[in-house]
Amino acid sequence: MAYLAPIHRPSSVRHALRIRLISPDEESLVVAKANRLEVYAWGEDGIALCYTQSIYGKVMMLERLQFAQSPTEHLFVGTDRFMYFTLSWDNESRQFRTEKTYVDQADKTSRDSQTQDRCLVDPTKQYMVLHLYDGIITVLPLIGKGKKKGPSEALTLGEPVPTRIKEFFIRSSCFLYPRDSEDILPQLAVLYEDNHQKVCLSIKKLDRSLGGTSDPGSATLIDVTARDDLEFGASHVIPVPAPFYGLLILTEMTVTYIDVENGQIINRPLGEPVIFVTWASVDAQRWLLADDYGRLFLMMLVYGDYGEKSIIVDMIGQTSRASVLVYLDDGLVFVGSHQGDSEVVKIHEKAITVVQKLDNLAPILDFTIMDMGNRNGETQSNEYSSGQARIVTGSGAFQDGSLRSIRSGVGMEEQGIIGEMEHIFDLFSFKSEESKAHDDVLVASFADETRVFLFSAEGEVDEQEDFHGLSLLEGTLCLSNISGNRLLQVTRSAVKVLDLDSGMITAEWSAKDADGIAVASASEKHLVVSTGDSGTTNFDLDRDLHIVAKRSFPQHGQISCIHVPAVCPDVCVVGLWQTASVAILDINSLETIQEVVMSDDAVNVPRSVVLTQLVANEAPTLLVAMANGEVVTFSVNPNSFDLSSRKATILGTQEVTFKVLPRNDQTSNVFAICEHSSLIYGFEGRIMYAAVTAEEASCVCSFDCEAYPGAIAVATSKDLRVALVDTERTSHVQTLPLNATVRRVAYSPKFKAFGIGTIHRELKEGYEMVQSHFKLADEVMFKELDNYTLYNDELVESCIRADLRDGSDELVERFIVGTAYMDPRGQDIVRGRILVFAVTTERSLKLVGEIATMGACRALEVISGNIVAALVKTVVIYSLNTPKLDKLATYRTSTAPIALAVSGSQIAVADIMKSVSVVAYKRPTHPGGSHSLVEVARHFQTAWATAVTHVDEYTWLESDAEGNLMVLKQNVKGVTADDQRRLEVVSEIRLGEMVNRIRKVDVESTANAVVKPKAFMGTVDGSVYLFALIADSKQDLLMRLQGAIAARVQSPGHVPFNTYRAFKNTVREAEEPFRFVDGDLIEKFLDCSASVQEAICKDLGLTEAADGEEMRAMVEGLRRTHQ
């Protein structure tokens, strides 16, 4: 049984609009990204996200509707499953409210539109029309509720009425603006291509007759006028409002204005060919146009000096290749892009400036996994390592193409290195004067010394040889400002209180024990220290180190860690060596209030404790770091100090050290330092764990200085630095613009470099020139190291890094590239090459092997040190004998292999039309014998496969071009030989996005892990998903939990979850997902109120309070598998 969860959500933008959704006085920008709707506000600095919501379906159309009974506008949404609904904004719940839903309008007998789904509202607000199927227009009347007719009448959407049209291949359409109120029949302009490939324009009037109570009536489109003399490159029609009226037609060579009323035509030649892709209206006389090369144009329709009409078209700048344009206000334009970063630009006099960029990974053509959370290649032990993987994608297309490095976690941005120094074991910061608003002193503590660094307001650093009487000849255990402009310092030998004005010691206490002070912690009023003789002492800091209480722990052994919290000033928390327990002590008497044993293992003891407010408006949280790398959390009752809600998380294999980082909202984050440092923080009422992108942090402290507000100080094994750290987890994207399509990417840990196959496109004198390259790039800076240019018009099709046998039993590392090109000696004959590159010691490319193939080389893999190549209708195995490639074995496929996956001696072949077959590679059993490929299993259903990988024994994961995922398993225990050859579907789901690449991952999960990560997937819409297999013991629970949540959690539009995720292709449509769990839905359990969570657990037969806690802990653990 399979589990699916998003690591990086879709970022491609194809639909966006401006709408008065939240307030009647303020407009918002609504952007659709695959199955998510995002609402933005805008200002001079760009746009800011206000709200986001996933829906059950991929958004295919957006439109805004204004109803008289509503002060705000409604949003009309159409999805890829032919589900339609209108949404309004609920100010009380601060989320979408479904106003009306249309049940599936899919016409099983009609063919889907071959261009794109369209939604149009006529200017008179009488009708909305949908173009969903070829030859059919669906009319939705805006019905009046009152008795009077007119624009002020209350409106709602009526029932859909289909009507037929003779135009099939519609390129563009629009409603025309009426010239006067007497034009009661709206006019629809349709730009289409006829059966003779002529581009025509048809103007129609829409007439609708009312039906009875249960009859929606009928609609008719009446032809008014038509033209068949348009340029073949005509692509868009634009309606023109008053004072000009009529319409504009965009073609590759001209812009044409047509006055429909009197037949006047004005042509404006463009000078050079332009392929327009989208447009947006600025006002009644100006429009923004975008072309396929990312150029932005401003078009104006104006009157001349003598009253004549004229068209002006100026190029004003370069942007990402736009999919949608939205003019916001005051010269701000939103450029939504599918194949590049979306942008907000500002229009100036014949120029633009980029105000903001929004990262977009779409389309992900290929990706590689650079590491799984550590750079040493060692197996990860933490439970959420898949979310910390560094994934490098080939994203975008042509001039927007780039290489993107993605890692999910808490970002740390280095501000500067203070100096190189080793063996720092703790850091402290304080203010040199109590009146200062920011910290200005940073202290680094070593085993035998303490070093002090003073910061100026400009960030200049000066190390102090002596500072206000601080002891600098021994290490410091605790250091902080206390009231009265004083400073507290605790060293191994003594406790000192210093006056910051005079530098004099105002109070001092020396440890009598020969071992000195072991651990210490202080708040504003209390200091608690533990000495080597197991004695613990509490000092009153307001009374010059007056001893409030003393206590020894002879039965518990020494104190391993202490924390005096700010959130609960009446207690302190200690960890105890001998009993491996944690105790909450009364701060005044040091008597035990609560004690809990953390482990039965005497070696696994608490090493760090923190009691702080992680989640706002919730009980404080006690965090305990164990010696084995486990972090245990408790919820603490602030009155009785009872401990509840125990949860454990494995962060690493070594002990964890905590440091509290205060936030501005009276809560704190906790920095957990270990071999894979993490930030622990509160988010939406839950405790979250997120990996920090910094490596090798040995200790940290908060350092809110004037030059670097909100910064932290970080010590590594080599230096001390200042950095800014995020307050919560985000996806961090590093971009290397290549201005070319990154068709394929492969990574070599040995060479610390990427092999990149690119396709560069440019216009030269009106001609489009395409050139492919194979490049070697450095892994750190993405700097190009070498470049190999392919033939003219030759395209990169595949690229891998592999260990090959070069004529011997020893393996050598090589980059292998597969290409395709048109044979110049014959028409429509595709040829290809396989190129083998070595990387020299100078980190340059050297071609060491090459072979011409009879077709394009679509995919490459390696098996037993030999090359596996997917050619047209053939899979071939080659051996490398430098400089030639020798053919060893072949296998004939059904149509054309598109992807390969190797596991042991088996090769899965994904066919472009006939799903997946599995072949076994058999080596010769005797000298002189032949190699062979034998089919051992096949999936006999039709599927347009796009990618495949091995996920378990006899089990393969396949994606298809219609957005479905299938888990196929060979029936090796079948009764007959035919049964044993069948690949059976054991899980299936509709993802809704086409997967371009699946990469297998090897992550060692803990023994009690609910899911086991098996693969990452990259999609056309810029998403990255985690695929995992569910543990046998949890399969039934997760399936029932999915059903219970789906029944109680409604999506906008009230679309049924089972309908949304049910498998669907042109051959077969299921009713629900089969043995597949949607992690996105499962994790919504954490967003539900306590009453809904309780009801869901009750549906599952879980009635005890502890059952609810276990369920929340399980779902939180699932969330961590991909964060």
Side-chain angles (χ1 to χ4, degrees), residues 189-501:
V190 178
L191 182 70
Y192 68 98
E193 185 179 331
D194 66 10
N195 295 332
H196 303 289
Q197 295 186 335
K198 293 180 63 177
V199 179
C200 310
L201 176 68
S202 176
I203 309 293
K204 303 173 182 291
K205 284 190 175 182
L206 175 60
D207 188 15
R208 175 179 174 260
S209 60
L210 298 175
T213 304
S214 59
D215 182 11
S218 61
T220 306
L221 287 168
I222 305 169
D223 289 331
V224 176
T225 184
R227 301 180 62 92
D228 62 358
D229 57 348
L230 303 180
E231 291 182 18
F232 183 77
S235 57
H236 295 79
V237 289
I238 301 175
V240 179
F244 292 96
Y245 296 104
L247 59 87
L248 289 158
I249 301 177
L250 306 181
T251 74
E252 292 183 5
M253 298 301 297
T254 61
V255 175
T256 301
Y257 167 76
I258 300 178
D259 190 325
V260 179
E261 185 73 17
N262 56 31
Q264 181 186 10
I265 298 176
I266 300 173
N267 289 316
R268 163 59 161 86
L270 295 175
E272 63 177 3
V274 180
I275 303 174
F276 292 109
V277 292
T278 188
W279 62 274
S281 174
V282 176
D283 52 34
Q285 295 180 240
R286 295 181 298 171
W287 295 265
L288 291 167
L289 312 177
D291 78 345
D292 193 46
Y293 286 83
R295 294 178 294 184
L296 192 64
F297 298 83
L298 180 63
M299 177 176 66
M300 294 177 284
L301 185 58
V302 298
Y303 284 111
D305 295 337
Y306 302 99
E308 76 280 6
K309 299 173 184 176
S310 63
I311 303 170
I312 301 173
V313 180
D314 292 322
M315 193 191 86
I316 57 175
Q318 186 79 28
T319 68
S320 299
R321 196 268 193 192
S323 298
V324 60
L325 294 173
V326 179
Y327 183 77
L328 300 176
D329 201 3
D330 295 330
L332 281 180
V333 181
F334 174 71
V335 181
S337 180
H338 166 65
Q339 64 184 44
D341 290 337
S342 295
E343 298 173 332
V344 177
V345 301
K346 178 83 172 179
I347 300 177
H348 304 284
E349 183 71 24
K350 292 188 177 182
I352 62 171
T353 56
V354 177
V355 176
Q356 184 182 14
K357 279 183 175 285
L358 289 80
D359 287 331
N360 173 28
L361 302 185
I364 298 177
L365 301 179
D366 195 8
F367 72 93
T368 185
I369 303 167
M370 190 170 173
D371 65 78
M372 288 299 299
N374 67 334
R375 300 306 310 278
N376 298 322
E378 299 172 355
T379 301
Q380 286 286 97
S381 59
N382 46 320
E383 296 174 312
Y384 55 100
S385 58
S386 57
Q388 300 174 32
R390 183 179 178 189
I391 299 172
V392 178
T393 67
S395 298
F398 300 119
Q399 69 269 14
D400 299 315
S402 63
L403 206 61
R404 309 277 177 125
S405 172
I406 311 159
R407 172 164 276 168
S408 177
V410 175
M412 184 179 290
E413 182 181 353
E414 181 184 307
Q415 300 298 299
I417 296 178
I418 298 172
E420 295 183 357
M421 53 194 83
E422 299 178 349
H423 308 302
I424 300 174
F425 76 78
D426 213 343
L427 294 171
F428 308 95
S429 63
F430 64 91
K431 302 170 185 175
S432 61
E433 297 178 14
E434 190 176 30
S435 59
K436 287 183 176 290
H438 297 274
D439 298 330
D440 60 347
V441 182
L442 180 64
V443 174
S445 178
F446 300 81
D448 55 358
E449 67 171 332
T450 297
R451 296 173 65 175
V452 179
F453 301 91
L454 180 64
F455 281 69
S456 68
E458 293 76 25
E460 295 181 357
V461 186
D462 183 21
E463 184 172 0
Q464 306 292 301
E465 294 183 0
D466 180 52
F467 193 79
H468 292 281
L470 284 174
S471 296
L472 303 182
L473 298 180
E474 57 183 327
T476 299
L477 300 178
C478 182
L479 186 65
S480 64
N481 290 104
I482 55 177
S483 61
N485 199 29
R486 297 177 299 160
L487 187 65
L488 171 69
Q489 182 186 23
V490 181
T491 65
R492 292 289 182 188
S493 61
V495 177
K496 295 180 180 180
V497 176
L498 309 168
D499 183 80
L500 285 173
D501 290 329

Side-chain angles (χ1 to χ4, degrees), residues 729-1037:
R729 183 192 69 86
T730 56
S731 291
H732 298 272
V733 180
Q734 179 185 355
T735 303
L736 171 66
L738 294 177
N739 299 317
T741 301
V742 181
R743 185 77 171 89
R744 292 290 181 256
V745 57
Y747 173 65
S748 168
K750 176 182 177 181
F751 300 128
K752 299 185 181 302
F754 292 99
I756 308 169
T758 66
I759 303 173
H760 180 71
R761 179 188 70 168
E762 63 178 337
L763 278 177
K764 288 186 177 180
E765 299 179 354
Y767 290 93
E768 185 176 88
M769 309 297 291
V770 176
Q771 182 68 64
S772 276
H773 303 266
F774 178 68
K775 299 182 179 183
L776 188 69
D778 179 74
E779 69 163 12
V780 178
M781 302 301 295
F782 288 157
K783 176 184 177 182
E784 183 178 312
L785 302 174
D786 201 3
N787 182 13
Y788 182 87
T789 303
L790 303 182
Y791 296 154
N792 290 335
D793 297 327
E794 184 179 22
L795 301 180
V796 172
E797 292 284 353
S798 52
C799 170
I800 63 170
R801 181 219 65 87
D803 293 321
L804 300 179
R805 301 185 188 278
D806 189 1
S808 66
D809 291 334
E810 294 185 3
L811 296 176
V812 292
E813 186 167 353
R814 298 288 186 259
F815 283 108
I816 312 168
V817 178
T819 73
Y821 61 92
M822 301 299 296
D823 191 336
R825 295 170 296 179
Q827 294 183 350
D828 299 329
I829 299 177
V830 179
R831 302 296 187 195
R833 288 192 298 165
I834 298 175
L835 309 174
V836 181
F837 293 95
V839 178
T840 67
T841 55
E842 292 79 19
R843 303 184 79 186
S844 61
L845 293 171
K846 179 181 180 182
L847 183 64
V848 297
E850 176 183 0
I851 189 173
T853 61
M854 296 302 293
C857 181
R858 304 293 186 190
L860 289 165
E861 271 293 347
V862 62
I863 187 169
S864 300
N866 298 316
I867 299 171
V868 186
L871 309 179
V872 176
K873 289 195 174 184
T874 311
V875 174
V876 183
I877 293 183
Y878 296 97
S879 66
L880 175 64
N881 292 293
T882 304
K884 63 179 182 177
L885 297 174
D886 297 326
K887 185 184 294 185
L888 298 180
T890 62
Y891 165 74
R892 187 76 170 176
T893 61
S894 299
T895 54
I898 197 70
L900 300 170
V902 171
S903 175
S905 63
Q906 291 190 333
I907 306 169
V909 182
D911 191 274
I912 198 170
M913 293 179 65
K914 296 297 183 180
S915 193
V916 170
S917 59
V918 179
V919 297
Y921 171 48
K922 297 186 180 297
R923 302 172 68 90
T925 57
H926 58 276
S930 60
H931 300 254
S932 63
L933 288 172
V934 180
E935 182 176 299
V936 295
R938 174 180 287 274
H939 182 224
F940 288 94
Q941 296 181 13
T942 298
W944 293 68
T946 59
V948 66
T949 197
H950 179 263
V951 293
D952 203 5
E953 186 178 16
Y954 302 113
T955 308
W956 309 83
L957 172 64
E958 177 194 6
S959 62
D960 71 13
E962 295 175 271
N964 300 297
L965 297 176
M966 291 176 285
V967 181
L968 307 174
K969 187 169 185 177
Q970 185 178 352
N971 184 16
V972 293
K973 296 182 179 179
V975 178
T976 67
D978 286 343
D979 291 339
Q980 295 173 4
R981 290 185 61 249
R982 289 185 178 274
L983 288 175
E984 298 177 343
V985 177
V986 295
S987 298
E988 65 180 17
I989 195 172
R990 181 175 176 84
L991 179 61
E993 304 173 50
M994 190 178 84
V995 174
N996 270 336
R997 179 68 68 197
I998 306 176
R999 295 289 188 190
K1000 184 178 180 179
V1001 297
D1002 292 313
V1003 177
E1004 183 177 327
S1005 302
T1006 56
N1008 59 348
V1010 179
V1011 298
K1012 298 178 180 179
K1014 293 294 182 180
F1016 290 155
M1017 298 178 290
T1019 74
V1020 169
D1021 289 290
S1023 304
V1024 179
Y1025 288 92
L1026 167 69
F1027 171 86
L1029 295 178
I1030 303 173
D1032 293 343
S1033 60
K1034 300 295 183 181
Q1035 293 180 0
D1036 177 67
L1037 176 61

Side-chain angles (χ1 to χ4, degrees), residues 383-655:
E383 296 174 312
Y384 55 100
S385 58
S386 57
Q388 300 174 32
R390 183 179 178 189
I391 299 172
V392 178
T393 67
S395 298
F398 300 119
Q399 69 269 14
D400 299 315
S402 63
L403 206 61
R404 309 277 177 125
S405 172
I406 311 159
R407 172 164 276 168
S408 177
V410 175
M412 184 179 290
E413 182 181 353
E414 181 184 307
Q415 300 298 299
I417 296 178
I418 298 172
E420 295 183 357
M421 53 194 83
E422 299 178 349
H423 308 302
I424 300 174
F425 76 78
D426 213 343
L427 294 171
F428 308 95
S429 63
F430 64 91
K431 302 170 185 175
S432 61
E433 297 178 14
E434 190 176 30
S435 59
K436 287 183 176 290
H438 297 274
D439 298 330
D440 60 347
V441 182
L442 180 64
V443 174
S445 178
F446 300 81
D448 55 358
E449 67 171 332
T450 297
R451 296 173 65 175
V452 179
F453 301 91
L454 180 64
F455 281 69
S456 68
E458 293 76 25
E460 295 181 357
V461 186
D462 183 21
E463 184 172 0
Q464 306 292 301
E465 294 183 0
D466 180 52
F467 193 79
H468 292 281
L470 284 174
S471 296
L472 303 182
L473 298 180
E474 57 183 327
T476 299
L477 300 178
C478 182
L479 186 65
S480 64
N481 290 104
I482 55 177
S483 61
N485 199 29
R486 297 177 299 160
L487 187 65
L488 171 69
Q489 182 186 23
V490 181
T491 65
R492 292 289 182 188
S493 61
V495 177
K496 295 180 180 180
V497 176
L498 309 168
D499 183 80
L500 285 173
D501 290 329
S502 63
M504 301 295 291
I505 298 175
T506 61
E508 185 174 6
W509 179 86
S510 299
K512 297 179 181 179
D513 192 328
D515 294 333
I517 300 173
V519 289
S521 178
S523 63
E524 291 184 359
K525 295 186 177 182
H526 293 278
L527 166 67
V528 179
V529 302
S530 175
T531 56
D533 61 358
S534 304
T536 301
T537 306
N538 174 24
F539 299 93
D540 189 333
L541 298 178
D542 289 337
R543 293 193 288 170
D544 291 332
L545 299 181
H546 172 74
I547 296 177
V548 178
K550 295 183 69 175
R551 181 184 175 187
S552 61
F553 295 84
Q555 297 179 350
H556 297 80
Q558 292 183 348
I559 302 296
S560 61
C561 48
I562 296 177
H563 183 241
V564 181
V567 293
C568 298
D570 297 329
V571 299
C572 70
V573 186
V574 298
L576 302 165
W577 276 104
Q578 190 167 328
T579 57
S581 61
V582 169
I584 298 179
L585 309 180
D586 182 277
I587 193 69
N588 295 310
S589 64
L590 296 181
E591 293 299 322
T592 302
I593 300 175
Q594 298 287 343
E595 184 176 354
V596 58
V597 177
M598 302 302 301
S599 173
D600 296 331
D601 185 356
V603 179
N604 187 25
V605 297
R607 297 308 309 270
S608 185
V609 291
V610 159
L611 177 58
T612 189
Q613 190 76 42
L614 283 179
V615 182
N617 304 318
E618 297 287 344
T621 302
L622 173 63
L623 299 98
V624 183
M626 306 299 292
N628 65 351
E630 184 181 50
V631 171
V632 183
T633 63
F634 297 90
S635 180
V636 180
N637 186 311
N639 299 315
S640 65
F641 301 104
D642 290 337
L643 303 179
S644 60
S645 305
R646 175 171 177 161
K647 299 174 184 176
T649 302
I650 298 175
L651 290 189
T653 58
Q654 303 172 8
E655 64 183 61

